[in-house]
Amino acid sequence: NAGVTQTPKFRVLKTGQSMTLLCAQDMNHEYMYWYRQDPGMGLRLIHYSVGEGTTAKGEVPDGYNVSRLKKQNFLLGLESAAPSQTSVYFCASRTGGGLNTEAFFGQGTRLTVV
Amino acid sequence: AQTVTQSQPEMSVQEAETVTLSCTYDTSESNYYLFWYKQPPSRQMILVIRQEAYKQQNATENRFSVNFQKAAKSFSLKISDSQLGDTAMYFCAVHSGNTPLVFGKGTRLSVIA
């Protein structure tokens, strides 16, 4: 059971380049999230999805877009990367409905924008 | 909006001693869940313990326990018999219903031999 898998694990981009981060989960979870982690800032929510075909903005959505075309996948796109987007990105998923649901995290993607 | 505050950016503890990490939160929801996650140097996020807001009894998982004070909106984590493997970042988090997990900024814990 793979759980939550993020691709790639590391990436270096030049300013202005675009890229897509892929999050895949095999637990049939309804909810999926993208967070970014910066030193001293904790995990901040970028975008999230409560089901296939739905997305919503989180705390820091600017400069990012997302898509949830398939239930198991949640894509995070950077159209024109900026140095301020240098961060570690985490994807998470959990089942919907009740409150007592643990969120499962991917291993993170370290992105550097130069 | 829900918020989580962790007022201790860094802490250290001697091996085998007890340490308490603080967390306060704010939410307008009547029913919610609180979590402590551990992030070791491997970067993996690991659930340590969770607490249901409507349960008065404090949650316990082996050496980890919480002190949940609902009226004060406080949710501290106590680690007993600290081990070197407990060295990590610890994040407090809250969510309710369909709302996403909201995290605090974390506390970096170092266990010293």
Side-chain angles (χ1 to χ4, degrees), chain A residues 25-87:
Chain A
Q25 53 94 4
D26 61 2
M27 297 172 283
N28 202 35
H29 285 171
E30 290 292 332
Y31 297 177
M32 297 186 75
Y33 311 97
W34 277 108
Y35 292 89
R36 60 176 289 172
Q37 182 179 14
D38 303 291
M41 299 299 292
L43 278 78
R44 293 181 293 170
L45 184 67
I46 304 171
H47 287 280
Y48 65 101
S49 169
V50 298
E52 182 179 322
T54 71
T55 62
K57 294 180 179 180
E59 178 186 357
V60 288
D62 293 343
Y64 305 95
N65 56 75
V66 289
S67 65
R68 183 98 182 268
L69 299 180
K70 294 182 178 181
K71 186 177 184 179
Q72 64 268 33
N73 296 337
F74 194 30
L75 279 63
L76 178 70
L78 286 72
E79 291 186 348
S80 179
S84 60
Q85 294 177 304
T86 293
S87 187

Side-chain angles (χ1 to χ4, degrees), chain B residues 2 25-32 53 70 73 95-97 99:
Chain B
Q2 297 172 321
Y25 63 93
D26 191 23
T27 179
S28 58
E29 302 290 334
S30 59
N31 199 15
Y32 51 90
K70 190 172 184 178
K73 295 185 177 178
H95 86 86
S96 60
T99 64

Side-chain angles (χ1 to χ4, degrees), chain A residues 99, chain B residues 30-33 51-57 68 70:
Chain A
L99 295 172
Chain B
S30 59
N31 199 15
Y32 51 90
Y33 265 77
Q51 173 78 41
E52 303 168 42
Y54 62 88
K55 286 189 175 180
Q56 293 186 343
Q57 185 174 4
F68 175 46
K70 190 172 184 178

Side-chain angles (χ1 to χ4, degrees), chain B residues 2-106:
Chain B
Q2 297 172 321
T3 60
V4 176
T5 301
Q6 294 179 249
S7 59
Q8 305 152 315
E10 295 187 15
M11 294 190 71
S12 61
V13 62
Q14 292 286 335
E15 196 175 10
E17 297 296 310
T18 296
V19 64
T20 298
L21 280 57
S22 301
C23 172
T24 58
Y25 63 93
D26 191 23
T27 179
S28 58
E29 302 290 334
S30 59
N31 199 15
Y32 51 90
Y33 265 77
L34 296 157
F35 302 83
W36 278 98
Y37 279 86
K38 170 185 177 180
Q39 186 182 44
S42 68
R43 213 166 63 193
Q44 184 65 43
M45 294 289 286
I46 303 165
L47 179 66
V48 174
I49 198 166
R50 76 184 102 193
Q51 173 78 41
E52 303 168 42
Y54 62 88
K55 286 189 175 180
Q56 293 186 343
Q57 185 174 4
N58 289 325
T60 299
E61 290 286 344
N62 300 313
R63 298 183 294 107
F64 298 87
S65 61
V66 297
N67 183 6
F68 175 46
Q69 301 290 328
K70 190 172 184 178
K73 295 185 177 178
S74 171
F75 183 60
S76 61
L77 174 69
K78 185 172 82 171
I79 306 174
S80 303
D81 185 26
S82 297
Q83 301 175 0
L84 296 177
D86 295 332
T87 292
M89 284 289 291
Y90 287 82
F91 293 99
C92 180
V94 63
H95 86 86
S96 60
N98 294 330
T99 64
L101 265 176
V102 174
F103 288 88
K105 294 183 177 182

